Every structure is written in structure tokens, then in C-alpha cells.
Amino acid sequence: LGYRVKESRFHWVSSNVISRTGERPWPGVKENDLVAFGPAKIGIFALTTPDVVLLGEKVDRLKFLDPLEIARAQVQKLRAEGATFVVALTYLPLVEDRKIASIPGLNVILGGQQTDGINEKVGNTFIYKQPPNASELGRLDIEFDGVGMPTGTVHANLAIDARTAEDLESRTLVGDYTRAMDRQLDEIIAVSKM
């Protein structure tokens, strides 16, 4: 994961996963983020279920802090830092997302770990969870007034199917990785006489 963080052109956020020693487990991964769009400030934090399987990571060296407790602290912290809109990125069961949605000051949960797409409102918080396997892409448009306060949101599910235009940059990147993996998988690493 550390390698993927280094090569990324976006910010990684993980709020409830730390090392057993209490430190951030991956360099470059932030606890939260505050992104300004004109006068609007969007606070972002991320929560992961302890049931997740982290490819290539030694899960036993990680500690997963209580998502509800961390969510409360993150919303309070981001609001104190001036966030006018707060987003939780979650990989949690829906029952956990619903508990988190009750936190005052949280505007929207964008989640994973769901077999069906979810679009619901709990209190003042919207929960959007896309179906698995990249069958749909979720789009959230947030409208702000002149002083950065949210005035509305529009969520849309965009189908990813044969009608979806292929992204040339992504196709090239996937092709490069495929060729590199093919070379590594074709390499003979041992020979047995049996």
C-alpha cells in the first residue's frame, strides 16, 4: 500500500487505522483532509472495518479504532477547523454507517462494503453506497452559497457498461501493469526433477 500511496496523484485518508504502536501505518496517509473550493471547505475523513482484508499488509500489526468514536472526533475536529460540509468515506457495514449518520455536523457518507446500492437519509445525513465490482459510479454534486454554506446536494448513479466510453489513460496504465505482471509470472524461479 505504501507504494500505491507514493505513486498516487490524490490524497489518501485513513482515520481509524493505526499501527499497534499508535502511529500512522503508512507514510503519506492523512488522518483527514480539508479541501477548499472558494469559500466552501469540505472536510473528509475515512473509516475502515476491522474485517477488511488488506492485500500485502500484515493486518496483525494494525489496530482498528472504533469507527463511531473516531467519526464523532473527526466531525468535531473538521468543523472546528472551518469545514462547511463534512464527508465520511466508509468501508463499513450499513448498520455502522447508520449509527455514524446520527452524528450532528456530518453531511454525507459515501460508503462501500455493500451488496446493493444504498441511497437513504438518516436524520440530516445522506448515505450513498455504490454496488460492488464497479458496476456503477456514484456522482455527488454539492451546491454552495456565496459564503461557502451548502444549499443542496444531488446524487446520481452512473452505469458502467458497454456504453461507457473507455478512458485511454486508464487503458494504457492497465496495459503497462499487465505486461509487467506477465513478464514476472513467466519468469522461472525454480526447477524440480520430480
Side-chain angles (χ1 to χ4, degrees):
L1 183 62
Y3 178 74
R4 295 288 174 243
V5 171
K6 286 180 188 175
E7 70 180 7
S8 298
R9 291 181 285 182
F10 56 86
H11 296 172
W12 285 68
V13 179
S14 179
S15 306
N16 73 316
V17 182
I18 60 173
S19 70
R20 290 278 174 197
T21 59
E23 301 162 352
R24 294 252 150 257
W26 307 285
V29 176
K30 300 166 75 171
E31 174 186 350
N32 60 43
D33 205 1
L34 191 60
V35 182
F37 293 95
K41 292 183 180 175
I42 300 176
I44 303 167
F45 67 96
L47 303 168
T48 306
T49 178
D51 299 329
V52 73
V53 175
L54 299 174
L55 295 176
E57 293 294 327
K58 295 181 179 173
V59 179
D60 61 337
R61 73 177 184 86
L62 301 176
K63 183 176 180 183
F64 293 81
L65 303 176
D66 178 64
L68 184 58
E69 184 179 312
I70 296 301
R72 280 192 187 106
Q74 288 296 321
V75 169
Q76 184 178 28
K77 182 175 186 178
L78 288 163
R79 289 292 183 176
E81 292 175 3
T84 57
F85 194 88
V86 179
V87 177
L89 306 175
T90 69
Y91 191 76
L92 298 169
L94 180 59
V95 67
E96 293 294 320
D97 280 334
R98 286 178 174 148
K99 290 176 189 174
I100 290 165
S102 69
I103 298 171
L106 178 61
N107 298 95
V108 68
I109 295 172
L110 302 176
Q113 203 200 33
Q114 194 64 36
T115 56
D116 299 317
I118 299 292
N119 179 344
E120 67 180 53
K121 189 173 183 184
V122 175
N124 293 319
T125 303
F126 290 96
I127 301 174
Y128 302 115
K129 292 169 96 63
Q130 296 309 121
N133 303 319
S135 61
E136 291 181 358
L137 176 68
R139 175 178 170 161
L140 179 64
D141 294 318
I142 310 165
E143 298 173 5
F144 294 95
D145 66 16
V147 294
M149 298 306 293
T151 59
T153 60
V154 177
H155 180 264
N157 291 333
L158 309 171
I160 299 175
D161 56 23
R163 297 170 294 176
T164 306
E166 186 173 31
D167 180 76
L168 182 59
E169 185 179 355
S170 296
R171 185 178 80 190
T172 301
L173 184 63
V174 169
D176 291 346
Y177 278 109
T178 300
R179 284 186 292 282
M181 289 300 297
D182 286 345
R183 283 191 300 273
Q184 288 181 355
L185 292 172
D186 287 343
E187 184 181 326
I188 298 171
I189 58 171
V191 177
S192 172
K193 293 184 181 188
M194 295 178 67

